[in-house]
Amino acid sequence: MCGITAYTGKGRALPFLIQGLEKLEYRGYDSAGITLVSNGELVTVKTKGALAALKEKLAQYDLDQHAGIGHTRWATHGVPSNLNSHPHTNLSNTISIVHNGIIENYQSIKEGLGMQGYTLASQTDSEVIVHLLDYYYEGDMKAVLRKVMSYLEGSYALCVVSVDEPDTIYAAKKESPMILGMDDTASFCASDIPALISYTKDMITLEDGQMAVLKPGHVSVYDGQGREVEPKFIHIPYDLEAAQKNGYDTFMEKEMHEQPYVIRETLRGRVEDRIIMPELDGIDLHAFDHVYFLACGTAYHAALYAQYLGREWMDIPITCVPASEFRYGNYPVNDRTFCVFVSQSGETADTLAALKMCLKAGAATLTLTNVLDSSLARLADITLYTCAGPEIAVASTKAYTTQLVMLAAMMVKLAYNSGYEVKDLDQFIADLKEIPNAVEAMLDRKNTMAEYARLLADQRDAYFIGRQLDYVNVLEGALKLKEISYVHADAYYAGELKHGPIALIEEGTVVIALATQKEVAAKTISNIEETIARGAEVILIKAPGIHSDKIERQIDLVPVHPYLTGILVAVLLQLFAFYTAKEKGCNVDQPRNLAKSVTVE
Ligand code: F6R
C-alpha cells in the first residue's frame, strides 16, 4: 500500500503534492519522492525515510513548476532505500512514474527489458513500468500507456509525466485506488480522498482498466479500448478529518473494512491453482526434528492456527509457544529445528529475542511479517510478507487476517514439500481464493454484531467457548474484546467448562460460542445448552448446516472449507469487540495501557 499524488495547473504543483502526501502518509511512510516537470526537464527528488525527510531535502531547491507527481511508499518489493523510492525515471530522464500496487509479472518483464539492454536501478517491481513506457514510446503517451497496461499483471494505480507534454498527467488504474478532481485552473489526482478534499468535494473515481488524461482544469477518462467515457463523479459530504479515515469514525473501523482488499493483495501471485512460494522451495520438514511457531498476542493466535493446520496435515512435532515464554523456557533448539516467527510489526522485543536465541542455536528461521526490512525480516533466513499496509489502530485486525491467509498458504506448501497429501486440497485452495468475498459478506453483518454487542452494555465479563480450531478463534475474540472495551473476557475449551468455569455462569452472563467444526459441533452445542440452563445469554457463530433450535441468537458464516472459518469468525468478533467498545464510549484506536509495537520486554 503506497500513496500517490499528481497535479497540473496554473498554480505551483509542489504544495499540492506535499499536502497530498501528508494526508496519504497513513498508506506508507518508509520513503517519499516527487518529480516536477517543466519545459525540457524532469526534476526528481526522493529519499528513504518519512515525508519529513523529503521536505527537508526539498528545502534546498526552488521549485515552482506547474505539474508533477508524488509518492509515499510502503515497501513490498525491495527494502526502503533512496534507490527503491519512487518516482522512477527512464534512463534519458524524459519520463517519470509513480506506482501503487504489485506488478506480479515484473520478473519476466525485467528479463525481457534486460534483453533489450535495459538495466534497472532499483529492486522494485514498479521500475519496469517506466522502462516499458520508454521502450514503446513513439510520441503518443496515451497509446503507449494503454499498451503497457495490457502487459502488466497484478494491481496498479499509476501516474506518468513526460518532458514532451509538460502540462499533462497520465493516470491509470487496476485494483488499486485512484481518485481525480479539478477546479477552474488545475486538475489533480491521488490514491485517496483526503489528498483532494481541500481542493474539491466532487471527485471522479477511476475504474479498473480506465486511464485518465489530466490537463489544467480538464480531465478526460478513457476505457480499456481507448474510447472516451463519461467520468463517474462522486460527491464527498464529509470534511478532512473524516476523509483521513475514509469516512469512518475510527482507524479500526476503516482497517476492518480494508480486509477484503488487503487479503486479496496478500494472496495475489501466491495462491493460484497451487501455492506459489518460491521462498519455501526445497524445504522438507523431515529435515528437522521439531518445528516451533513463536509470536506474541494476536500474532501468537495466528501462529496457533498454523500449528493446528500443521498437526492436521503432517505427523511432524510442531509446537507453538508465546515468544515471551519461549525465551525463558527450556525448549530444545539446535540445527535440526525449524522456527517460524509471526509478527505484524517485525519489531516485537520478545519475538526478536526468541529469534536471536534460535539463530544462535543454529536453527533454520522464517519470519512472517507485515513490515518490509523490519528487524525480524532482516535477521531470519527466509521472510514472507503480508500486504496489510500500515495498521494504525492498536488492535490488530487486517494484519491478523492477512497472517491467517498467508499461514494457510504456507502450511499447504510445507505439507506438499514434505510429501504429505492435504485432504480436500482443491476445495481448500478454491475457498482460500474466495476468502476476500466471504470476508465482505461478514462485514455486511455489522448491524447484527452491533445489536449483539448491546448485550454487554451492563456486563463486566464475557466468556468465549469453542473446540479444536474454534478454540484458537475464541482466544482471539476474547483478546480483541478485552483490549478495546475493557470487558473482562475469558476463552475456554467448550469441554472444559464443566471442570470449573461453569461456576461463573449466572443469569445474564454473556457467552459467545463457536461451532464451525462439524465433527465437534454437537458437543459444543451441548455445552452451550448447559450454560443456557444456568441463565446465560448466548451468541452462537456457526457454519451452515449445524443446527441448534434452542439458541436465540445465531449467526451463520458463509460456506467455506472448515479450516478457513477462523478468518470469517475473526471478522465477526472484531465487529463485536468494536461495537461493544463504542457502546461503552471507549477510545477504540488507542486503548489504555497499550502500544502498537511492543519493543520493550
Ligand atoms: C492485539 C495486538 C497485539 C500484537 C502483539 C504482537 O490486537 O495487536 O497483541 O499482536 O503485540 O505484535 P506484532 O504482531 O507486531 O509482533
Side-chain angles (χ1 to χ4, degrees), residues 296-299 342-346 348 351 394-396 403 479-480 483 596 598:
C296 295
T298 286
V342 185
S343 171
Q344 186 284 128
S345 62
T348 298
T351 316
V394 165
S396 188
Q403 281 164 358
L479 174 63
K480 217 88 301 176
E483 68 175 327
K596 185 68 195 159
V598 187

Side-chain angles (χ1 to χ4, degrees), residues 342-530:
V342 185
S343 171
Q344 186 284 128
S345 62
E347 302 294 345
T348 298
D350 285 318
T351 316
L352 196 53
L355 169 61
K356 287 179 182 163
M357 276 172 62
C358 294
L359 284 170
K360 206 165 159 201
T365 57
L366 182 154
T367 285
L368 176 71
T369 182
N370 191 38
V371 180
L372 204 116
D373 209 31
S374 52
S375 302
L376 281 157
R378 279 201 303 271
L379 289 174
D381 302 323
I382 304 167
T383 302
L384 295 174
Y385 290 106
T386 49
C387 298
E391 194 176 59
I392 294 174
V394 165
S396 188
T397 55
K398 59 177 183 166
Y400 177 62
T401 48
T402 52
Q403 281 164 358
L404 294 182
V405 295
M406 192 63 134
L407 287 166
M410 181 184 112
M411 295 314 286
V412 169
K413 175 81 179 172
L414 287 175
Y416 175 83
N417 284 358
S418 311
Y420 293 97
E421 201 170 314
V422 171
K423 202 169 144 234
D424 298 332
L425 180 60
D426 292 346
Q427 192 60 48
F428 186 82
I429 290 185
D431 286 2
L432 188 54
K433 286 204 280 197
E434 278 303 305
I435 279 290
N437 296 331
V439 165
E440 193 94 59
M442 292 300 100
L443 289 166
D444 287 345
R445 308 302 303 267
K446 63 180 171 193
N447 290 343
T448 311
M449 294 323 283
E451 183 197 319
Y452 291 170
R454 274 184 229 119
L455 283 176
L456 285 173
D458 301 318
Q459 298 286 325
R460 290 169 58 90
D461 309 289
Y463 299 96
F464 288 73
I465 59 169
R467 285 171 183 255
Q468 299 293 306
L469 199 47
D470 281 335
Y471 178 66
V472 174
N473 305 329
V474 292
L475 283 172
E476 174 59 10
L479 174 63
K480 217 88 301 176
L481 185 67
K482 283 186 264 228
E483 68 175 327
I484 61 168
S485 75
Y486 317 137
V487 170
H488 160 249
D490 260 332
Y492 293 115
Y493 293 104
E496 285 293 296
L497 273 186
K498 58 185 171 297
H499 298 290
I502 201 159
L504 295 164
I505 308 293
E506 53 186 11
E507 203 63 42
T509 304
V510 175
V511 173
I512 299 97
L514 302 185
T516 76
Q517 305 299 302
K518 219 154 115 213
E519 291 72 21
V520 288
K523 304 270 177 218
T524 303
I525 287 173
S526 306
N527 302 135
I528 296 170
E529 284 169 8
E530 287 155 17

Side-chain angles (χ1 to χ4, degrees), residues 4 52 86 113 202 221 239 262 268 379 472 499 546 570 586 595:
I4 61 184
H86 295 221
L113 285 166
D202 294 301
V221 176
D239 60 10
V262 296
R268 184 182 293 288
L379 289 174
V472 174
H499 298 290
I546 289 167
C586 302

Side-chain angles (χ1 to χ4, degrees), residues 57-252:
K57 213 165 171 181
L58 285 169
Q60 308 161 25
Y61 301 84
D62 184 18
L63 299 165
D64 59 0
Q65 292 87 338
H66 299 281
I69 54 179
H71 191 270
T72 179
R73 181 165 186 248
W74 176 261
T76 58
H77 291 69
V79 298
S81 70
N82 289 351
L83 274 181
N84 288 337
S85 310
H86 295 221
H88 294 288
T89 47
N90 61 343
L91 290 174
S92 52
N93 196 33
T94 53
I95 305 172
S96 181
I97 65 118
V98 284
H99 167 231
N100 166 34
I102 297 173
I103 304 302
E104 288 168 15
N105 57 338
Y106 83 101
Q107 282 293 8
S108 61
I109 298 177
K110 197 169 162 181
E111 281 158 29
L113 285 166
M115 285 190 262
Q116 301 304 325
Y118 285 85
T119 315
L120 272 63
S122 76
Q123 303 157 319
T124 66
D125 55 332
S126 312
E127 195 191 339
V128 297
I129 301 168
V130 75
H131 298 301
L132 273 183
L133 289 169
D134 177 271
Y135 180 69
Y136 288 112
Y137 185 67
E138 285 175 347
D140 182 350
M141 187 58 83
K142 186 149 84 64
V144 74
L145 180 55
R146 196 149 57 96
K147 187 181 201 127
V148 167
M149 284 167 75
S150 72
Y151 293 148
L152 300 179
E153 287 168 20
S155 58
Y156 52 82
L158 271 177
C159 286
V160 184
V161 284
S162 80
V163 288
D164 286 355
E165 295 174 272
D167 67 346
T168 308
I169 310 280
Y170 290 89
K173 171 201 150 51
K174 185 184 159 219
E175 292 175 37
S176 295
M178 177 71 88
I179 318 284
L180 306 103
M182 67 198 125
D183 60 22
D184 291 345
T185 61
S187 304
F188 23 79
C189 63
S191 302
D192 201 359
I193 294 164
L196 266 56
I197 205 154
S198 312
Y199 291 77
T200 181
K201 290 207 158 194
D202 294 301
M203 302 181 191
I204 298 167
T205 53
L206 209 58
E207 292 182 7
D208 280 350
Q210 288 185 336
M211 176 201 303
V213 181
L214 288 77
K215 302 250 183 209
H218 187 265
V219 173
S220 314
V221 176
Y222 300 88
D223 69 12
Q225 280 70 49
R227 293 176 298 229
E228 188 160 359
V229 293
E230 210 42 52
K232 190 172 142 200
F233 273 92
I234 46 164
H235 179 74
I236 306 301
Y238 42 78
D239 60 10
L240 177 61
E241 207 210 309
Q244 280 179 307
K245 294 175 181 146
N246 212 0
Y248 295 106
D249 287 343
T250 61
F251 280 108
M252 181 178 173

